[in-house]
Amino acid sequence: MTLSTAKSPAQERGPRALGFGPDVRNLSLLGVLAALIAVGGLTRPAEFLAASNLQLVLTQASVIGVVTVGMTFVITSGGIDLSVGAIVALASVWATTVATQEYGFAGILFSAVVVGLGCGLVNGLLVAYGRVVPFIATLAMLASARGLALQITDGRTQIVTVQSVLDLGVPDAYVFGVPPLVLVFAAVTVAGWLLLNRTTFGRRTVAVGGNAEAARLAGIDVRRQRLHLYLLSGLCCGIAAFLLIVLSGSGQNTNGNLYELDAIAAAIIGGTLLSGGRGTIVGSVLGVLVFTTITNIFALNNLQSDVQQIAKGAIIVAAVLVQRRTAHDGDT
């Protein structure tokens, strides 16, 4: 009597089929991050390994990290958002005007989030219902939001005077040594992971990115899904703008400069396909930590920013090559 030894895909992959198994891409990024920590510890052990510096790295990663979570959803759906940095700038200056600060903590937070959502709504309507190419729609938002931010500030820095907002950035507000901004970043990351991997919304996002027409035929409202995704990206930008206000204690029209490139790069090296159909929140967060750590190491060693950009570019290329090799091995 011969017994069949064939196993189902779930049996073959074990925990990975349920979403708990190790991801080679994430492990490779963890290896890069560990190597960077080793470099920092060897070159500037006293400064780099100090608790205050590690807190600084995590705090700086929090702002761009929140933006990257939203960007990951958009890219997974096959879209792109070039306006995230400009939206952060607009939300930060709108929330720090004298009129807004009169409403205190709640007024600043509410304004930042609403401006982010408003910009995301415009992007979503243009892309989903106006059928404008995402690259063009978000590029137009980038220019418009930057221009409006400059008009509001007239090129000046707007200082935050609401003490309850500033208090979030001082060490006395840390929870067991963890800055509040990092806790917000962690909460957004967990919420993003659950939304992408454990909800119908996440499955629809992947389906739209993989094949929009097939998703439509399967009963998914593709236009509404895309609208919601750009709203989500705008929401993340609004939250990031508030975190940046806490971190800098001001609002400037130059805030969020090149955030769009950093967020896209972090998502891509983390394993999110630029063509859509696959996204990973964990990988995106690891990508943010890698780039933030590089910036910190270069700053501590007084190295030029141009060398830093070259190093970032090399890491992006290396990560993409590793991902392609991993994907090829997985298909064979």
Side-chain angles (χ1 to χ4, degrees):
M1 179 176 180
T2 304
L3 297 177
S4 174
T5 58
K7 298 181 179 179
S8 68
Q11 290 175 320
E12 291 178 351
R13 291 178 290 174
R16 184 176 296 180
L18 301 176
F20 297 109
D23 190 316
V24 176
R25 299 179 186 86
N26 292 342
L27 291 177
S28 64
L29 277 178
L30 281 173
V32 172
L33 186 59
L36 289 172
I37 293 174
V39 170
L42 290 174
T43 56
R44 292 285 182 176
E47 296 90 345
F48 181 79
L49 298 177
S52 58
N53 185 62
L54 297 179
Q55 290 170 339
L56 176 63
V57 171
L58 291 175
T59 300
Q60 292 176 335
S62 298
V63 180
I64 184 62
V66 171
V67 174
T68 303
V69 170
M71 181 69 78
T72 300
F73 277 88
V74 173
I75 295 178
T76 301
S77 71
I80 199 72
D81 192 348
L82 300 179
S83 65
V84 290
I87 294 175
V88 169
L90 178 59
S92 69
V93 300
W94 201 309
T96 54
T97 60
V98 175
T100 303
Q101 293 194 53
E102 290 180 355
Y103 293 93
F105 184 100
I108 293 177
L109 176 59
F110 178 79
S111 296
V113 171
V114 168
V115 170
L117 283 171
C119 292
L121 176 62
V122 173
N123 281 337
L125 290 174
L126 288 174
V127 173
Y129 294 95
R131 300 185 182 277
V132 180
V133 177
F135 182 92
I136 300 300
T138 58
L139 184 62
M141 176 59 71
L142 183 157
S144 301
R146 282 289 177 194
L148 184 54
L150 178 60
Q151 186 178 51
I152 292 174
T153 61
D154 196 23
R156 300 187 181 93
T157 299
Q158 298 177 163
I159 304 299
V160 176
T161 58
V162 179
Q163 194 58 44
S164 57
V165 173
L166 299 175
D167 287 343
L168 289 177
V170 300
D172 290 342
Y174 291 4
V175 180
F176 299 109
V178 181
L181 275 66
V182 178
L183 296 177
V184 173
F185 176 34
V188 171
T189 299
V190 172
W193 186 89
L194 291 173
L195 188 62
L196 183 60
N197 296 282
R198 293 292 182 267
T199 67
T200 302
F201 182 87
R203 290 190 289 272
R204 288 174 177 171
T205 299
V206 174
V208 170
N211 190 321
E213 181 60 21
R216 186 187 67 81
L217 294 175
I220 297 175
D221 190 333
V222 175
R223 292 187 297 178
R224 184 173 62 182
Q225 184 69 18
R226 285 174 174 162
L227 173 62
H228 290 167
L229 288 166
Y230 280 97
L231 277 171
L232 178 60
S233 179
L235 173 62
C236 288
C237 289
I239 296 173
F242 180 76
L243 298 183
L244 190 57
I245 290 170
V246 173
L247 184 62
S248 63
S250 64
Q252 304 176 55
N253 66 285
T254 56
N255 282 343
N257 188 35
L258 297 182
Y259 273 18
E260 55 277 358
L261 299 183
D262 289 342
I264 292 172
I268 296 307
I269 73 167
T272 299
L273 285 180
L274 190 57
S275 57
R278 187 184 72 204
T280 163
I281 297 296
V282 174
S284 296
V285 170
L286 289 175
V288 169
L289 292 176
V290 165
F291 284 142
T292 308
T293 303
I294 291 175
T295 301
N296 183 259
I297 292 174
F298 275 65
L300 290 177
N301 287 277
N302 297 318
L303 296 176
Q304 298 296 324
S305 59
D306 54 349
V307 181
Q308 173 183 325
Q309 297 303 320
I310 293 173
K312 283 185 177 182
I315 288 178
I316 293 172
V317 172
V320 170
L321 290 176
V322 169
Q323 290 170 12
R324 291 187 63 183
R325 179 60 182 272
T326 301
H328 179 268
D329 292 344
D331 293 337
T332 58

